[in-house]
Amino acid sequence: MTPRTRRRPVLPPVRPPSFSGRLHDARTATAVGRWLGLAFAVCFVTGLISHYLQHPPGWLANGLPSRPVWGYRLTQGLHIASGLAAIVLLLAKLWAVYPRLFLWPPLRSVRHALERLSVAVLVSTAVFQVFTGLLNVVEWYPWPFSFVPVHFAVAWVVAGSILLHLAVKAPEIRAHWSRRSAGTLELPAEDARDRRSLLLGVGAAVGAVTLTTVGQSFTPLKRLDLLAPRHPDHGPQGLPVNRTAAAAGVTPAALRDWRLEVLGPRPLTLTLDQLRALPQARARLPIACVEGWSVEAYWSGVRLRDLVARAGGRPDAGVRVVSLEVRGAYRVMEMGREYVEDPLTLLALTLNGEVLSQDHGYPARIIAPNRPGVLQTKWVTRLEVV
Ligand SMILES: Nc1nc2c(c(=O)[nH]1)N[C@H]1C(S)=C(S)[C@@H](COP(=O)(O)O)O[C@H]1N2
Ligand SMILES: [Mo]
């Protein structure tokens, strides 16, 4: 025996944690992942629609569709509902795969390192996206950046990471796609029943979240709307208010000398009585807030295109709308030709048969079909034909 002269210090062996739960497997991850993928896909597409309706690129600014009148109501309702469902599904999915965080050795190859990096990007951006979206729904912004551009940019990163993830995991997804294909993989038979229970539980949680919130926009279910911050019926004149006159700095004193200015080739100024004396039109249109609530109401007032014509504007003009509001992101709004031309686009003076309340934009507000709520400008004081 050769005597060892020097002994290397021996580190205690590293023991990664072990997980006794049996459902942290690819079949569970695939089953939940399919629904999560669907929720994210719906959320992404409806989010793009919302974004481009609010911030159309130049070439689209005059070509946005003003029909169907309920279009934005539907897509934004789906955006919020799929986003809320995605929170539950994302939690279930993370539960299914989290033991992989503790893989040992953590990195086996360059390829493995890249794969883990892509999953890290996917998980962090997906969590960020549903988290910021949820807080926006409750109008709480505990961060230094502005919500809309960041939420929009990160959506692309999530979408790209999901596509990459699908590509990397394609063989496993294919193998575990259906119960039948999974049956050939020799997963323990007794897990199947437990997995079914787990998936039923996740489905029930998604159902509960959806049913207790979707009534904020899908009004037939409004009686179940227990968890959404807005109820479609609660507010002055039976309609919620996002920003009150007080919050917008619109004071009774500022309203006393109110006039509507219409700037164009033949500029004019109108008092409220003069506006009321013009031909009035009526429309049943929804207000659909980006934060998820929406509700239909009856509006009446002067067609925007009539006001443009009076100011000598061409029939295909766009309009810039300026509010009396002192500051705020929605003080100035641009409206493309399709909306200006639409006979349902009104400078509304009444809501559900009554003079607009101050919080709903007295004396005059915009209401247009198929537009995000943020663009239904209240307390309008100037129209600029452009
Ligand atoms: N001038 C102005 N108009 C505005 C807003 C605003 O902050 N300022 N908020 C908008 C938003 S976000 C929505 S959802 C609708 C809500 O209209 P309502 O308060 O009459 O229901 O008004 C829009 N019009
Ligand atoms: Mo809104």
Side-chain angles (χ1 to χ4, degrees), residues 242 288-291 293 373-374:
N242 236 40
C289 179
V290 295
E291 282 140 28
W293 61 268
V374 289

Side-chain angles (χ1 to χ4, degrees), residues 139 230 236-237 239-244 247-248 250 287-293 295 299 322-333 351 356-361 365-367 372-380:
E139 294 187 89
R230 304 300 163 111
Q237 300 174 298
L239 198 88
V241 168
N242 236 40
R243 193 141 195 248
T244 60
V250 176
I287 289 241
C289 179
V290 295
E291 282 140 28
W293 61 268
V295 59
W299 309 88
V322 183
S323 167
L324 202 62
E325 182 178 347
V326 195
R327 70 191 94 76
Y330 309 123
R331 196 179 74 83
V332 180
M333 176 272 283
L351 161 56
L356 283 174
S357 69
Q358 270 195 28
D359 288 341
H360 284 308
R365 77 171 302 161
I366 292 292
I367 186 79
V374 289
L375 303 179
Q376 311 282 28
T377 309
K378 305 195 271 195
W379 315 290
V380 171

